[in-house]
Amino acid sequence: MVRRQFVGVLSAAAGGLLCDGLGSSLMAAPSRVITVEKGDTLYGLALANRVSVDQLVKTNNLSSTTLRIGQKLSIPRDIATASTAATTKTYLVRKGDTLSRIASRNKISVNSLRRANGLKGNTIYPGNRLKIPAIAKAEKVEPAKVEAVEKIPEKKLVYLGRSKRQVDVSHLASRRWKHIIMHHSGTPTGSGKIFDYYHRRVKRMENGLAYHFVIGNGSESGDGYIEVAERWKRQIQGGHVRSDAYNQNSIGICLVGNFQKSRPTKKQMAAAIELVDYLKKDLLNDRPKLLLHRDIQDTICPGRYFPERSMHKLFG
């Protein structure tokens, strides 16, 4: 994911997961004090402690919603013990579940889920019951809505266009590709060329751009424009996830944008659907399984506004 690989701005862009900001003044006589850890956001801490973001801001006299690692935040007694709009439900862990996937389904952060259940790591087992802190009514997140994903487009290729020749490689390693993994860049702007420069020159990745495809949002490349990376042209492994095994057998597709803050464009989603459908059905005999980055790794990628349910419904 580019959030970890594309300069420092990506850390802040992808939901404020790296904390670097202003200090806070703690109010006197709190009932409880919590310490900000790596990965915490104000929104996630509010959920975990059953308070609103506004309450945390006012209680701690915060001048910014940006946090820093090690920062102390106060939960006042009257808020900590009061009955709020947020309640706790339980979830029975099933085979194949991960903390990241459960958190995503319930629109909360992984850290919130860990805090609610006193977990130190990510290990869970089928049969475990997890407490799920519900989202307060005032802060309920709207589900992602993208009209373009209601149905798979006709076989007429609108977005592949001039890129199709580059997609149809003559030496296709069809047996290699078992997954298609979707990402967002975590940045409001960008392109394959820009990301390639950073991966190659700064991260010293020998094969440059970590993804096989990048879909533009109109900022540095066309809205819905599909860029075919050298990794696909050469049919070599990606560098888009931490797992070497998944990098070896997974096609990485990155949509430019920060989908924690805004939705992908209609053209981006139409292009993504067309590309995934073409790869799965026309080139790879429906073999690759569609996954989101957060399905296999503790990350928010590709963001809460990515239309997860619609894409899984289309491609299973």
Side-chain angles (χ1 to χ4, degrees):
M1 173 184 175
V2 178
R3 174 172 59 80
R4 295 173 49 248
Q5 298 173 328
F6 188 64
V7 203
V9 298
L10 299 195
S11 300
L17 291 184
L18 293 185
C19 306
D20 180 23
L22 302 175
S24 64
S25 298
L26 301 182
M27 298 191 66
S31 68
R32 188 156 56 92
V33 175
I34 59 175
T35 303
V36 175
E37 301 173 0
K38 183 178 180 179
D40 282 338
T41 64
L42 203 62
Y43 178 76
L45 292 176
L47 286 179
N49 290 280
R50 302 175 64 183
V51 298
S52 70
V53 171
D54 284 343
Q55 286 171 324
L56 274 183
V57 169
K58 290 177 182 178
T59 299
N60 294 279
N61 194 28
L62 300 178
S63 57
S64 168
T65 56
T66 303
L67 305 176
R68 70 171 186 276
I69 297 172
Q71 182 176 348
K72 305 292 185 181
L73 293 178
S74 300
I75 309 296
R77 187 178 302 278
D78 58 340
I79 294 177
T81 58
S83 175
T84 68
T87 57
T88 300
K89 59 181 180 180
T90 60
Y91 176 83
L92 181 63
V93 177
R94 299 168 185 153
K95 184 178 180 180
D97 278 339
T98 64
L99 277 186
S100 178
R101 188 174 297 179
I102 295 169
S104 173
R105 286 174 183 165
N106 289 278
K107 301 295 187 293
I108 59 175
S109 69
V110 173
N111 274 351
S112 296
L113 195 55
R114 286 200 198 100
R115 287 178 184 274
N117 292 277
L119 300 175
K120 298 296 183 182
N122 296 323
T123 304
I124 53 176
Y125 299 97
N128 288 162
R129 289 192 177 274
L130 298 179
K131 296 177 182 178
I132 309 293
I135 302 174
K137 292 180 180 178
E139 298 177 10
K140 191 170 184 179
V141 178
E142 291 184 27
K145 296 178 182 177
V146 177
E147 292 82 354
V149 299
E150 289 303 317
K151 62 179 181 179
I152 296 176
E154 301 276 333
K155 276 298 178 182
K156 180 181 178 182
L157 300 177
V158 177
Y159 294 92
L160 276 171
R162 53 186 169 175
S163 302
K164 182 178 179 297
R165 289 185 179 180
Q166 298 175 7
V167 177
D168 293 339
V169 291
S170 59
H171 53 294
L172 179 67
S174 58
R175 290 184 175 273
R176 174 177 206 156
W177 308 118
K178 298 179 180 179
H179 308 92
I180 297 174
I181 301 179
M182 306 297 295
H183 303 256
H184 72 167
S185 68
T187 55
T189 63
S191 69
K193 183 177 181 180
I194 291 173
F195 301 151
D196 177 74
Y197 179 89
Y198 180 74
H199 292 171
R200 192 179 299 276
R201 300 294 181 87
V202 180
K203 299 300 291 183
R204 300 296 180 187
M205 298 176 73
E206 180 182 355
N207 294 304
L209 180 63
Y211 308 103
H212 295 91
F213 300 94
V214 173
I215 301 179
N217 65 353
S219 57
E220 303 292 338
S221 62
D223 188 5
Y225 179 64
I226 299 171
E227 298 182 74
V228 184
E230 285 298 316
R231 288 181 189 264
W232 178 255
K233 295 175 186 177
R234 294 164 55 195
Q235 290 291 282
I236 61 175
Q237 74 172 71
H240 48 101
V241 295
R242 292 176 190 166
S243 166
D244 287 338
Y246 275 104
N247 278 329
Q248 284 280 355
N249 63 30
S250 301
I251 301 167
I253 301 177
C254 177
L255 280 67
V256 178
N258 180 1
F259 305 148
Q260 275 294 98
K261 296 184 176 180
S262 62
R263 295 184 176 88
T265 71
K266 292 181 181 180
K267 289 184 177 181
Q268 274 187 302
M269 287 312 306
I273 291 169
E274 186 174 291
L275 176 60
V276 172
D277 187 58
Y278 188 73
L279 291 172
K280 280 177 64 71
K281 306 291 177 59
D282 291 78
L283 295 186
L284 301 171
N285 299 315
D286 208 24
R287 187 164 179 251
K289 179 180 180 181
L290 181 72
L291 298 171
L292 305 189
H293 189 184
R294 62 174 169 251
D295 288 336
I296 61 167
Q297 191 173 312
D298 184 9
T299 175
I300 59 173
C301 180
R304 66 186 178 190
Y305 289 122
F306 185 88
E308 174 180 9
R309 290 182 182 178
S310 296
M311 289 296 283
H312 279 314
K313 184 177 180 180
L314 286 177
F315 299 110

mmCIF file of all heavy atoms in Angstrom, residues 139-171:
data_model
loop_
_atom_site.group_PDB
_atom_site.id
_atom_site.type_symbol
_atom_site.label_atom_id
_atom_site.label_comp_id
_atom_site.label_asym_id
_atom_site.label_seq_id
_atom_site.Cartn_x
_atom_site.Cartn_y
_atom_site.Cartn_z
ATOM 1 N N GLU A 139 -22.359 9.953 15.059
ATOM 2 C CA GLU A 139 -21.131 9.805 14.277
ATOM 3 C C GLU A 139 -21.186 8.616 13.333
ATOM 4 O O GLU A 139 -20.172 8.175 12.824
ATOM 5 C CB GLU A 139 -19.945 9.628 15.227
ATOM 6 C CG GLU A 139 -19.727 10.817 16.122
ATOM 7 C CD GLU A 139 -18.592 10.565 17.086
ATOM 8 O OE1 GLU A 139 -17.886 9.571 16.929
ATOM 9 O OE2 GLU A 139 -18.428 11.373 17.985
ATOM 10 N N LYS A 140 -22.391 8.127 13.083
ATOM 11 C CA LYS A 140 -22.510 6.942 12.250
ATOM 12 C C LYS A 140 -21.982 7.214 10.850
ATOM 13 O O LYS A 140 -22.320 8.202 10.228
ATOM 14 C CB LYS A 140 -23.976 6.509 12.171
ATOM 15 C CG LYS A 140 -24.139 5.128 11.537
ATOM 16 C CD LYS A 140 -25.549 4.644 11.709
ATOM 17 C CE LYS A 140 -25.711 3.233 11.165
ATOM 18 N NZ LYS A 140 -27.079 2.728 11.350
ATOM 19 N N VAL A 141 -21.149 6.312 10.358
ATOM 20 C CA VAL A 141 -20.532 6.494 9.054
ATOM 21 C C VAL A 141 -21.467 5.981 7.971
ATOM 22 O O VAL A 141 -22.007 4.883 8.077
ATOM 23 C CB VAL A 141 -19.196 5.718 8.976
ATOM 24 C CG1 VAL A 141 -18.575 5.860 7.596
ATOM 25 C CG2 VAL A 141 -18.255 6.224 10.055
ATOM 26 N N GLU A 142 -21.673 6.767 6.936
ATOM 27 C CA GLU A 142 -22.498 6.332 5.828
ATOM 28 C C GLU A 142 -21.801 5.202 5.078
ATOM 29 O O GLU A 142 -20.601 5.231 4.880
ATOM 30 C CB GLU A 142 -22.726 7.486 4.845
ATOM 31 C CG GLU A 142 -23.595 8.588 5.391
ATOM 32 C CD GLU A 142 -23.843 9.638 4.319
ATOM 33 O OE1 GLU A 142 -23.793 9.284 3.127
ATOM 34 O OE2 GLU A 142 -24.074 10.789 4.681
ATOM 35 N N PRO A 143 -22.555 4.199 4.669
ATOM 36 C CA PRO A 143 -21.932 3.147 3.880
ATOM 37 C C PRO A 143 -21.508 3.692 2.527
ATOM 38 O O PRO A 143 -22.075 4.641 2.016
ATOM 39 C CB PRO A 143 -23.069 2.109 3.731
ATOM 40 C CG PRO A 143 -24.322 2.903 3.887
ATOM 41 C CD PRO A 143 -23.992 3.996 4.871
ATOM 42 N N ALA A 144 -20.484 3.069 1.963
ATOM 43 C CA ALA A 144 -20.005 3.523 0.670
ATOM 44 C C ALA A 144 -21.069 3.278 -0.393
ATOM 45 O O ALA A 144 -21.686 2.227 -0.444
ATOM 46 C CB ALA A 144 -18.727 2.778 0.305
ATOM 47 N N LYS A 145 -21.309 4.276 -1.213
ATOM 48 C CA LYS A 145 -22.282 4.162 -2.288
ATOM 49 C C LYS A 145 -21.628 4.594 -3.595
ATOM 50 O O LYS A 145 -21.179 5.714 -3.721
ATOM 51 C CB LYS A 145 -23.494 5.054 -2.015
ATOM 52 C CG LYS A 145 -24.291 4.670 -0.775
ATOM 53 C CD LYS A 145 -25.440 5.633 -0.570
ATOM 54 C CE LYS A 145 -26.229 5.310 0.681
ATOM 55 N NZ LYS A 145 -27.306 6.283 0.929
ATOM 56 N N VAL A 146 -21.580 3.686 -4.530
ATOM 57 C CA VAL A 146 -21.080 4.033 -5.849
ATOM 58 C C VAL A 146 -22.024 3.414 -6.867
ATOM 59 O O VAL A 146 -22.114 2.200 -6.987
ATOM 60 C CB VAL A 146 -19.642 3.514 -6.074
ATOM 61 C CG1 VAL A 146 -19.171 3.830 -7.480
ATOM 62 C CG2 VAL A 146 -18.701 4.146 -5.058
ATOM 63 N N GLU A 147 -22.765 4.259 -7.557
ATOM 64 C CA GLU A 147 -23.784 3.778 -8.473
ATOM 65 C C GLU A 147 -23.199 2.870 -9.550
ATOM 66 O O GLU A 147 -23.844 1.962 -10.034
ATOM 67 C CB GLU A 147 -24.489 4.965 -9.141
ATOM 68 C CG GLU A 147 -25.330 5.796 -8.194
ATOM 69 C CD GLU A 147 -24.513 6.815 -7.406
ATOM 70 O OE1 GLU A 147 -23.279 6.781 -7.516
ATOM 71 O OE2 GLU A 147 -25.107 7.626 -6.688
ATOM 72 N N ALA A 148 -21.935 3.099 -9.902
ATOM 73 C CA ALA A 148 -21.328 2.371 -11.016
ATOM 74 C C ALA A 148 -21.141 0.893 -10.746
ATOM 75 O O ALA A 148 -20.883 0.140 -11.667
ATOM 76 C CB ALA A 148 -19.977 2.997 -11.362
ATOM 77 N N VAL A 149 -21.264 0.453 -9.501
ATOM 78 C CA VAL A 149 -21.013 -0.951 -9.204
ATOM 79 C C VAL A 149 -22.290 -1.761 -9.086
ATOM 80 O O VAL A 149 -22.282 -2.863 -8.599
ATOM 81 C CB VAL A 149 -20.185 -1.101 -7.901
ATOM 82 C CG1 VAL A 149 -18.860 -0.432 -8.027
ATOM 83 C CG2 VAL A 149 -20.956 -0.577 -6.704
ATOM 84 N N GLU A 150 -23.399 -1.229 -9.550
ATOM 85 C CA GLU A 150 -24.653 -1.960 -9.447
ATOM 86 C C GLU A 150 -24.644 -3.216 -10.324
ATOM 87 O O GLU A 150 -25.256 -4.205 -10.018
ATOM 88 C CB GLU A 150 -25.824 -1.052 -9.846
ATOM 89 C CG GLU A 150 -26.104 0.044 -8.818
ATOM 90 C CD GLU A 150 -26.390 -0.519 -7.438
ATOM 91 O OE1 GLU A 150 -27.139 -1.515 -7.326
ATOM 92 O OE2 GLU A 150 -25.851 0.021 -6.466
ATOM 93 N N LYS A 151 -23.976 -3.144 -11.465
ATOM 94 C CA LYS A 151 -23.897 -4.326 -12.324
ATOM 95 C C LYS A 151 -22.614 -4.275 -13.129
ATOM 96 O O LYS A 151 -22.024 -3.213 -13.354
ATOM 97 C CB LYS A 151 -25.100 -4.408 -13.255
ATOM 98 C CG LYS A 151 -25.217 -3.234 -14.221
ATOM 99 C CD LYS A 151 -26.426 -3.401 -15.118
ATOM 100 C CE LYS A 151 -26.537 -2.228 -16.114
ATOM 101 N NZ LYS A 151 -27.683 -2.384 -17.009
ATOM 102 N N ILE A 152 -22.193 -5.433 -13.583
ATOM 103 C CA ILE A 152 -21.006 -5.491 -14.419
ATOM 104 C C ILE A 152 -21.353 -4.923 -15.785
ATOM 105 O O ILE A 152 -22.373 -5.269 -16.373
ATOM 106 C CB ILE A 152 -20.513 -6.944 -14.561
ATOM 107 C CG1 ILE A 152 -20.088 -7.483 -13.190
ATOM 108 C CG2 ILE A 152 -19.365 -7.052 -15.558
ATOM 109 C CD1 ILE A 152 -19.680 -8.917 -13.190
ATOM 110 N N PRO A 153 -20.515 -4.027 -16.315
ATOM 111 C CA PRO A 153 -20.816 -3.419 -17.603
ATOM 112 C C PRO A 153 -20.842 -4.437 -18.739
ATOM 113 O O PRO A 153 -20.363 -5.551 -18.613
ATOM 114 C CB PRO A 153 -19.666 -2.419 -17.802
ATOM 115 C CG PRO A 153 -18.896 -2.395 -16.548
ATOM 116 C CD PRO A 153 -19.275 -3.574 -15.745
ATOM 117 N N GLU A 154 -21.412 -4.026 -19.853
ATOM 118 C CA GLU A 154 -21.392 -4.863 -21.045
ATOM 119 C C GLU A 154 -19.945 -5.172 -21.422
ATOM 120 O O GLU A 154 -19.020 -4.484 -21.017
ATOM 121 C CB GLU A 154 -22.083 -4.120 -22.200
ATOM 122 C CG GLU A 154 -23.532 -3.748 -21.914
ATOM 123 C CD GLU A 154 -24.483 -4.881 -22.205
ATOM 124 O OE1 GLU A 154 -24.132 -5.720 -23.061
ATOM 125 O OE2 GLU A 154 -25.550 -4.922 -21.588
ATOM 126 N N LYS A 155 -19.768 -6.183 -22.250
ATOM 127 C CA LYS A 155 -18.410 -6.574 -22.622
ATOM 128 C C LYS A 155 -17.682 -5.518 -23.460
ATOM 129 O O LYS A 155 -16.487 -5.619 -23.670
ATOM 130 C CB LYS A 155 -18.443 -7.902 -23.383
ATOM 131 C CG LYS A 155 -18.465 -9.101 -22.458
ATOM 132 C CD LYS A 155 -17.201 -9.145 -21.604
ATOM 133 C CE LYS A 155 -17.249 -10.327 -20.656
ATOM 134 N NZ LYS A 155 -16.071 -10.385 -19.794
ATOM 135 N N LYS A 156 -18.401 -4.510 -23.937
ATOM 136 C CA LYS A 156 -17.734 -3.421 -24.647
ATOM 137 C C LYS A 156 -16.743 -2.771 -23.693
ATOM 138 O O LYS A 156 -17.102 -2.329 -22.608
ATOM 139 C CB LYS A 156 -18.762 -2.391 -25.119
ATOM 140 C CG LYS A 156 -18.145 -1.223 -25.863
ATOM 141 C CD LYS A 156 -19.225 -0.229 -26.282
ATOM 142 C CE LYS A 156 -18.605 0.967 -26.987
ATOM 143 N NZ LYS A 156 -19.620 1.972 -27.369
ATOM 144 N N LEU A 157 -15.481 -2.731 -24.067
ATOM 145 C CA LEU A 157 -14.435 -2.213 -23.190
ATOM 146 C C LEU A 157 -14.303 -0.707 -23.354
ATOM 147 O O LEU A 157 -13.811 -0.215 -24.365
ATOM 148 C CB LEU A 157 -13.106 -2.912 -23.486
ATOM 149 C CG LEU A 157 -13.117 -4.434 -23.282
ATOM 150 C CD1 LEU A 157 -11.777 -5.027 -23.673
ATOM 151 C CD2 LEU A 157 -13.473 -4.791 -21.850
ATOM 152 N N VAL A 158 -14.764 0.009 -22.337
ATOM 153 C CA VAL A 158 -14.777 1.466 -22.388
ATOM 154 C C VAL A 158 -13.488 2.042 -21.829
ATOM 155 O O VAL A 158 -12.917 2.986 -22.376
ATOM 156 C CB VAL A 158 -15.987 2.020 -21.602
ATOM 157 C CG1 VAL A 158 -15.962 3.547 -21.587
ATOM 158 C CG2 VAL A 158 -17.286 1.502 -22.194
ATOM 159 N N TYR A 159 -13.002 1.481 -20.721
ATOM 160 C CA TYR A 159 -11.875 2.076 -19.999
ATOM 161 C C TYR A 159 -10.536 1.420 -20.315
ATOM 162 O O TYR A 159 -9.500 2.067 -20.214
ATOM 163 C CB TYR A 159 -12.145 2.045 -18.491
ATOM 164 C CG TYR A 159 -13.300 2.935 -18.116
ATOM 165 C CD1 TYR A 159 -14.597 2.433 -18.047
ATOM 166 C CD2 TYR A 159 -13.104 4.290 -17.870
ATOM 167 C CE1 TYR A 159 -15.668 3.259 -17.738
ATOM 168 C CE2 TYR A 159 -14.169 5.126 -17.552
ATOM 169 C CZ TYR A 159 -15.450 4.597 -17.497
ATOM 170 O OH TYR A 159 -16.504 5.433 -17.201
ATOM 171 N N LEU A 160 -10.553 0.157 -20.682
ATOM 172 C CA LEU A 160 -9.284 -0.471 -21.035
ATOM 173 C C LEU A 160 -8.702 0.177 -22.294
ATOM 174 O O LEU A 160 -7.517 0.503 -22.343
ATOM 175 C CB LEU A 160 -9.478 -1.972 -21.258
ATOM 176 C CG LEU A 160 -9.435 -2.827 -19.995
ATOM 177 C CD1 LEU A 160 -9.849 -4.253 -20.298
ATOM 178 C CD2 LEU A 160 -8.051 -2.808 -19.384
ATOM 179 N N GLY A 161 -9.570 0.382 -23.278
ATOM 180 C CA GLY A 161 -9.203 1.136 -24.462
ATOM 181 C C GLY A 161 -7.805 0.852 -24.971
ATOM 182 O O GLY A 161 -7.424 -0.275 -25.277
ATOM 183 N N ARG A 162 -6.993 1.921 -25.009
ATOM 184 C CA ARG A 162 -5.642 1.798 -25.547
ATOM 185 C C ARG A 162 -4.726 0.986 -24.633
ATOM 186 O O ARG A 162 -3.615 0.607 -25.036
ATOM 187 C CB ARG A 162 -5.044 3.186 -25.772
ATOM 188 C CG ARG A 162 -5.085 4.077 -24.558
ATOM 189 C CD ARG A 162 -4.618 5.470 -24.910
ATOM 190 N NE ARG A 162 -4.891 6.418 -23.833
ATOM 191 C CZ ARG A 162 -4.484 7.676 -23.853
ATOM 192 N NH1 ARG A 162 -3.778 8.126 -24.869
ATOM 193 N NH2 ARG A 162 -4.782 8.492 -22.863
ATOM 194 N N SER A 163 -5.171 0.733 -23.377
ATOM 195 C CA SER A 163 -4.341 -0.057 -22.457
ATOM 196 C C SER A 163 -4.486 -1.553 -22.701
ATOM 197 O O SER A 163 -3.686 -2.347 -22.207
ATOM 198 C CB SER A 163 -4.719 0.257 -21.004
ATOM 199 O OG SER A 163 -4.560 1.625 -20.728
ATOM 200 N N LYS A 164 -5.513 -1.943 -23.448
ATOM 201 C CA LYS A 164 -5.816 -3.368 -23.605
ATOM 202 C C LYS A 164 -4.639 -4.148 -24.196
ATOM 203 O O LYS A 164 -4.363 -5.275 -23.772
ATOM 204 C CB LYS A 164 -7.057 -3.552 -24.467
ATOM 205 C CG LYS A 164 -7.472 -5.014 -24.637
ATOM 206 C CD LYS A 164 -8.740 -5.129 -25.450
ATOM 207 C CE LYS A 164 -9.129 -6.593 -25.637
ATOM 208 N NZ LYS A 164 -8.128 -7.349 -26.384
ATOM 209 N N ARG A 165 -3.943 -3.569 -25.165
ATOM 210 C CA ARG A 165 -2.818 -4.275 -25.767
ATOM 211 C C ARG A 165 -1.739 -4.594 -24.745
ATOM 212 O O ARG A 165 -1.057 -5.613 -24.826
ATOM 213 C CB ARG A 165 -2.225 -3.436 -26.904
ATOM 214 C CG ARG A 165 -3.105 -3.357 -28.145
ATOM 215 C CD ARG A 165 -2.403 -2.615 -29.261
ATOM 216 N NE ARG A 165 -3.225 -2.555 -30.460
ATOM 217 C CZ ARG A 165 -2.844 -1.965 -31.580
ATOM 218 N NH1 ARG A 165 -1.636 -1.398 -31.653
ATOM 219 N NH2 ARG A 165 -3.650 -1.941 -32.628
ATOM 220 N N GLN A 166 -1.568 -3.688 -23.773
ATOM 221 C CA GLN A 166 -0.557 -3.911 -22.735
ATOM 222 C C GLN A 166 -1.051 -4.940 -21.720
ATOM 223 O O GLN A 166 -0.249 -5.637 -21.092
ATOM 224 C CB GLN A 166 -0.238 -2.600 -22.031
ATOM 225 C CG GLN A 166 0.338 -1.545 -22.961
ATOM 226 C CD GLN A 166 0.531 -0.213 -22.262
ATOM 227 O OE1 GLN A 166 0.358 -0.092 -21.055
ATOM 228 N NE2 GLN A 166 0.914 0.792 -23.028
ATOM 229 N N VAL A 167 -2.384 -5.035 -21.533
ATOM 230 C CA VAL A 167 -2.950 -6.026 -20.611
ATOM 231 C C VAL A 167 -2.840 -7.421 -21.211
ATOM 232 O O VAL A 167 -2.552 -8.400 -20.521
ATOM 233 C CB VAL A 167 -4.421 -5.691 -20.287
ATOM 234 C CG1 VAL A 167 -5.024 -6.771 -19.389
ATOM 235 C CG2 VAL A 167 -4.524 -4.333 -19.603
ATOM 236 N N ASP A 168 -3.026 -7.515 -22.523
ATOM 237 C CA ASP A 168 -2.986 -8.810 -23.211
ATOM 238 C C ASP A 168 -1.539 -9.227 -23.498
ATOM 239 O O ASP A 168 -1.110 -9.317 -24.641
ATOM 240 C CB ASP A 168 -3.756 -8.727 -24.523
ATOM 241 C CG ASP A 168 -5.240 -8.532 -24.315
ATOM 242 O OD1 ASP A 168 -5.732 -8.840 -23.219
ATOM 243 O OD2 ASP A 168 -5.910 -8.064 -25.250
ATOM 244 N N VAL A 169 -0.795 -9.511 -22.456
ATOM 245 C CA VAL A 169 0.606 -9.908 -22.643
ATOM 246 C C VAL A 169 0.674 -11.293 -23.272
ATOM 247 O O VAL A 169 -0.137 -12.173 -22.976
ATOM 248 C CB VAL A 169 1.366 -9.901 -21.291
ATOM 249 C CG1 VAL A 169 1.541 -8.488 -20.773
ATOM 250 C CG2 VAL A 169 0.645 -10.762 -20.253
ATOM 251 N N SER A 170 1.644 -11.475 -24.136
ATOM 252 C CA SER A 170 1.763 -12.745 -24.853
ATOM 253 C C SER A 170 2.269 -13.880 -23.971
ATOM 254 O O SER A 170 2.012 -15.053 -24.234
ATOM 255 C CB SER A 170 2.703 -12.571 -26.058
ATOM 256 O OG SER A 170 3.992 -12.148 -25.625
ATOM 257 N N HIS A 171 2.971 -13.516 -22.913
ATOM 258 C CA HIS A 171 3.567 -14.537 -22.034
ATOM 259 C C HIS A 171 2.827 -14.581 -20.693
ATOM 260 O O HIS A 171 3.435 -14.672 -19.631
ATOM 261 C CB HIS A 171 5.046 -14.236 -21.807
ATOM 262 C CG HIS A 171 5.316 -12.836 -21.322
ATOM 263 N ND1 HIS A 171 5.071 -11.727 -22.081
ATOM 264 C CD2 HIS A 171 5.794 -12.374 -20.136
ATOM 265 C CE1 HIS A 171 5.397 -10.637 -21.391
ATOM 266 N NE2 HIS A 171 5.825 -11.006 -20.205
#
